[in-house]
């Protein structure tokens, strides 16, 4: 069964082959044979940039070299010990000093510069772009090419556990802002030649490096082609975070539900790659994008696959219940206490009515006000410094709630409902999906205050219809429930034992759909030592 991909864009597709970055700096031409001409062109291109350093070195035989690099992006210790010291103190190889055959750039590359990444180039634009990325450019007088030496040495954050995706059991490492550090964390876990990583550049001024990672034969070719097309279609001045890209490549930009997953954990990326999904790495951010995304993957926590299936299945069912509480509890409370009192037990109705005695505001306004204050406290706790953020949010909630009840502005029952709803929203593993539920809570409250239970049911119908029509890179958002694939439903409501999940998600994988061969269920008879 095939499902056509639907994607609308207001931007006209511009075919590109080498890079998705427009207006590359190729107008400066090629490297000239005279060093002074090259130095004049580079200084003109990099004018008013005090951090770009130019250094001229004279080698034995009166050969002049020009070194160009960005201060702070190059490892100066390696520059001194690996490049400058051999050339200035140890001298050139004997055949170079005696005028032997071969160009000086070849001798430097093969016998003197002890750096793994040395690449000859001839375009001034490529040289400037590489310098700004942290490479050292070496230009030789009398030769019409330059050497780019990989000496990146800028400061970067150490690998540590992500603060937003904690787990009791599992790896403790997380992505950093360094692109190659992030890709190496994936290579450490998936040591297969089938793991492919394609590079491109986005951003007219930022020239941010992007990497598309996937497992060849496991990822769907149609989804991979769509990812490439959407990324190459982007035209933007700069990419500072993966969220910049996410807004350009999602199917329905105005939907409250996220269609692309983001994570800081390498193990989540690896498990997604093994399911046939595609990861998008962006330089200078620890958040990696994963596509396609389904509604059910937003409710799956990383610990669901590290603990035993019985325990994780029970926790997952609780999580689904808390999701419904987070979305529906305030609207159900408003509709029942305002329009359908006959559905509430008498003793409970009397208790709620007694708590509301003297409250001047209608229930719907009272609940909306408390929800607004709760979201404000949550936002304040995030924005404030860590030592005082949690204290302010907790103390603020206690003080404001108690004072509002004692002043007769809100009832105690509404405070309980709002607090329970907020706690339930914290149980959603993915922050962006939890944000969507929090956002939908307000229109559901308004519908409940206007139409009662009929408004709640109408709101639910609209949400379900929207979810059923939503797609992520052509994959239905509610798969494998709609459309239904019984084999893939073992990892939706519950998490079946790993030995029973034989197939990968059918719609997002290519030809290799088998995950676990059959016949691996543990048996008490296997491995028994005979007396």
């Amino acid at each position: 069964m095939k499902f056509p991909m639907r994607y609308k864009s207001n931007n006209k597709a511009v075919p590109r082959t080498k890079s998705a970055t427009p207006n590359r700096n190729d107008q400066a031409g090629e490297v000239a044979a005279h060093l002074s001409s090259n130095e004049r062109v580079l200084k003109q291109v990099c004018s008013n940039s005090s951090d770009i350093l130019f250094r001229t070195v004279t080698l034995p035989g009166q050969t002049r070299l020009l070194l160009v690099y960005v201060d702070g992006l190059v490892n100066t210790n390696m520059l001194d010990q690996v490049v400058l010291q051999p050339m200035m103190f140890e001298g050139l190889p004997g055949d170079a000093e005696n005028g032997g055959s071969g160009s000086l750039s070849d001798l430097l590359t093969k016998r003197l510069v002890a750096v793994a990444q040395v690449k000859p180039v001839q375009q001034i634009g490529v040289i400037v772009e590489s310098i700004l990325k942290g490479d050292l450019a070496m230009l030789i007088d009398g030769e019409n090419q330059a050497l780019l030496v990989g000496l990146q040495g800028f400061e970067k954050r150490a690998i540590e556990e992500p603060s937003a995706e904690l787990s009791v059991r599992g790896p403790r490492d997380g992505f950093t802002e360094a692109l190659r550090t992030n890709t190496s964390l994936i290579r450490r876990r998936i040591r297969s030649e089938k793991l492919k990583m394609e590079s491109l550049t986005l951003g007219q001024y930022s020239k941010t490096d992007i990497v598309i990672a996937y497992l060849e034969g496991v990822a769907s070719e149609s989804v991979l082609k769509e990812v490439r097309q959407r990324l190459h279609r982007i035209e933007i001045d700069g990419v500072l975070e993966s969220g910049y890209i996410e807004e350009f490549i999602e199917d329905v930009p105005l939907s409250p539900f996220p269609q692309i997953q983001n994570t800081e954990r390498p193990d989540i990326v690896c498990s997604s790659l093994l399911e046939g999904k595609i990861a998008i790495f962006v330089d200078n951010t620890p958040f990696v994008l994963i596509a396609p995304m389904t509604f059910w993957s937003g409710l799956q926590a990383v610990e669901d696959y590290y603990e035993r299936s019985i325990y994780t299945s029970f926790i997952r069912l609780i999580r689904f219940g808390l999701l419904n509480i987070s979305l529906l509890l305030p609207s159900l409370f408003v509709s029942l206490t305002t329009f359908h009192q006959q559905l509430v037990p008498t003793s409970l109705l009397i208790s709620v009515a007694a708590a509301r005695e003297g409250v001047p505001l209608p229930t719907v306004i009272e609940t909306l006000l408390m929800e607004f204050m709760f979201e404000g406290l949550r936002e304040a706790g995030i924005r404030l410094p860590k030592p005082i953020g949690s204290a302010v949010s907790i103390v603020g909630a206690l003080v404001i709630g108690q004072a509002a009840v004692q002043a007769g502005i809100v009832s105690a029952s509404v405070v309980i409902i709002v607090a329970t709803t907020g706690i339930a929203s914290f149980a959603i593993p993915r922050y962006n999906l939890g944000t969507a539920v929090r956002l939908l809570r307000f229109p559901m409250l308004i519908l409940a205050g206007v139409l009662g239970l009929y408004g709640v049911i109408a709101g639910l119908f609209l949400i379900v219809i929207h979810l059923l029509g939503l797609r992520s890179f052509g994959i239905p958002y509610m798969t494998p429930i709609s459309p239904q694939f019984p084999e893939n439903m073992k990892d939706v409501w519950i998490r079946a034992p790993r030995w029973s999940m034989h197939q990968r998600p059918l719609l997002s994988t290519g030809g290799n759909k088998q995950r676990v061969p059959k016949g691996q269920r543990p048996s008490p008879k296997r491995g028994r030592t005979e007396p």
Side-chain angles (χ1 to χ4, degrees):
M1 183 181 298
K2 295 183 178 180
F3 297 88
M5 294 189 178
R6 298 185 297 180
Y7 177 71
K8 295 181 179 179
S9 175
N10 295 327
N11 299 329
K12 295 182 180 179
V14 179
R16 301 189 185 96
T17 55
K18 295 183 179 180
S19 172
T21 303
N23 299 330
R24 290 174 62 104
N25 196 4
D26 295 302
Q27 67 273 14
E30 296 185 351
V31 177
H34 299 287
L35 188 63
S36 57
S37 301
N38 298 327
E39 183 177 4
R40 183 175 62 255
V41 171
L42 288 174
K43 286 186 176 180
Q44 181 179 0
V45 174
C46 304
S47 60
N48 299 328
S49 299
S50 59
D51 57 336
I52 300 180
L53 305 181
F54 293 80
R55 177 170 181 179
T56 303
V57 178
T58 303
L59 301 180
Q62 302 302 316
T63 303
R64 296 174 60 244
L65 267 68
L66 176 64
L67 307 182
V68 187
Y69 60 94
V70 176
D71 188 18
L73 295 184
V74 169
N75 189 330
T76 54
N77 292 329
M78 289 189 64
L79 175 62
D80 296 338
Q81 299 174 8
V82 179
V83 178
L84 293 177
Q85 182 176 349
M87 290 190 301
M88 300 178 66
F89 298 101
E90 299 178 8
L92 294 175
D95 51 355
E97 294 179 355
N98 299 327
S101 61
S103 63
L104 181 58
S105 60
D106 292 337
L107 292 172
L108 290 174
T109 303
K110 298 176 181 179
R111 302 184 57 180
L112 195 62
V113 179
V115 179
Q117 298 179 359
V118 180
K119 181 177 66 173
V121 295
Q122 295 180 336
Q123 291 78 23
I124 294 292
V126 178
I127 294 174
V128 173
E129 185 174 334
S130 300
I131 291 172
L132 296 176
K133 289 183 178 180
D135 290 337
L136 167 69
M138 299 176 57
L139 294 96
I140 306 170
D141 193 14
E143 298 189 13
N144 58 350
Q145 67 176 1
L147 297 179
L148 297 179
V149 185
L151 291 179
Q152 292 89 348
F154 49 84
E155 296 294 330
K156 56 185 179 181
R157 182 168 57 92
I159 297 175
E160 56 189 15
E161 185 177 8
S163 59
E165 296 178 272
L166 301 176
S167 65
V168 177
R169 179 176 180 179
R172 302 298 182 186
D173 54 347
F175 291 127
T176 67
E177 287 75 17
L179 178 64
R180 286 307 166 194
T181 301
N182 297 340
T183 56
S184 66
L185 292 175
I186 304 301
R187 287 287 184 186
R188 287 176 54 188
R189 290 170 167 82
I190 302 180
R191 302 169 184 177
S192 172
E193 72 281 0
K194 298 294 183 181
L195 176 59
K196 307 298 181 181
M197 295 189 178
E198 302 177 2
S199 299
L200 67 151
T201 304
L202 292 178
Q204 179 180 354
Y205 298 109
S206 66
K207 292 181 173 60
T208 306
D209 292 328
I210 312 294
V211 171
I212 306 173
Y214 61 94
L215 279 175
E216 187 179 32
V218 177
S220 171
E221 288 295 332
S222 59
V223 176
L224 179 59
K225 180 180 178 181
E226 187 70 16
V227 171
R228 292 193 188 111
Q229 289 179 351
R230 298 188 188 185
L231 287 175
H232 282 276
R233 190 184 292 121
I234 298 176
E235 296 182 13
I236 190 173
D237 55 352
V239 177
L240 304 182
E241 215 276 334
S242 57
Y244 283 48
I245 297 177
E246 182 178 357
E247 294 189 37
F248 280 97
I249 63 177
E250 57 187 355
D251 290 62
V252 185
L254 299 181
S255 173
F257 292 96
Q259 298 132 62
I260 301 174
Q261 183 178 343
N262 63 79
T263 181
E264 293 183 79
R265 297 187 62 105
D267 51 345
I268 294 180
V269 173
C270 291
S271 63
S272 300
L273 293 175
L274 293 172
E275 290 183 350
K277 297 181 180 180
I278 299 167
I280 302 174
F281 294 81
V282 181
D283 197 11
N284 300 318
T285 176
F287 289 93
V288 176
L289 304 180
I290 301 174
M293 177 184 177
T294 64
F295 177 79
W296 315 107
S297 62
L299 293 170
Q300 296 169 355
V302 61
E303 288 182 355
D304 292 356
Y305 303 94
Y306 297 148
E307 297 287 351
R308 298 177 66 244
S309 61
I310 297 177
Y311 170 74
T312 56
S313 298
F314 174 70
I315 295 299
R316 187 173 289 186
L317 292 175
I318 293 178
R319 198 178 297 143
F320 278 106
L322 293 175
L323 171 68
N324 293 323
I325 290 175
S326 176
L327 178 64
L328 298 176
L329 183 60
S331 56
L332 287 176
F333 174 79
V334 170
S335 60
L336 291 177
T337 56
T338 305
F339 296 96
H340 310 283
Q341 295 89 347
Q342 67 275 11
L343 299 178
V344 182
T346 305
S347 56
L348 178 60
L349 184 62
I350 293 174
S351 177
V352 172
R356 281 194 49 79
E357 186 177 359
V359 176
L361 301 174
T363 305
V364 60
I365 302 299
E366 181 185 358
T367 309
L368 282 172
L369 178 62
M370 289 303 299
E371 285 285 353
F372 179 80
M373 290 303 302
F374 189 88
E375 294 296 329
L377 288 171
R378 188 206 303 256
E379 188 69 15
I382 294 175
R383 304 304 165 204
L384 286 173
K386 288 184 179 180
I388 62 174
S390 58
V392 168
S393 59
I394 295 174
V395 173
L398 292 175
V399 171
I400 293 177
Q402 183 67 23
V405 172
Q406 291 182 352
I409 300 175
V410 296
S411 61
S413 56
V414 170
V415 175
I416 295 172
I417 293 296
V418 172
T420 304
T421 304
I423 294 173
S425 65
F426 293 142
I428 301 176
R430 302 291 166 217
Y431 178 78
N432 48 7
L433 183 60
T435 304
V437 174
R438 288 158 49 195
L439 179 64
L440 291 173
R441 192 185 303 154
F442 289 93
M444 291 291 291
L445 266 173
I446 296 174
L447 288 173
V450 175
L451 301 175
L453 282 179
Y454 299 104
V456 176
I457 295 173
L460 277 177
F461 267 110
L462 292 175
I463 293 174
V464 172
I465 291 172
H466 174 71
L467 289 174
L468 292 176
L470 200 59
R471 289 171 181 259
S472 176
F473 289 87
I475 304 300
Y477 198 61
M478 298 300 289
T479 183
I481 300 297
S482 176
Q484 192 175 85
F485 296 96
E487 178 63 28
N488 296 149
M489 292 177 62
K490 298 178 181 179
D491 193 21
V492 177
W493 306 105
I494 62 172
R495 204 271 286 175
R498 195 173 300 278
W499 44 261
S500 67
M501 294 189 291
H502 305 296
Q503 291 184 347
R504 296 185 175 92
L506 296 178
L507 292 182
S508 60
T509 53
N512 186 1
K513 298 186 181 299
Q514 186 183 59
R515 180 187 308 191
V516 178
K518 296 183 179 180
Q520 297 197 69
R521 178 175 179 175
S523 173
K525 296 182 181 180
R526 296 177 184 173
R528 179 181 296 175
T529 303
E530 297 294 337

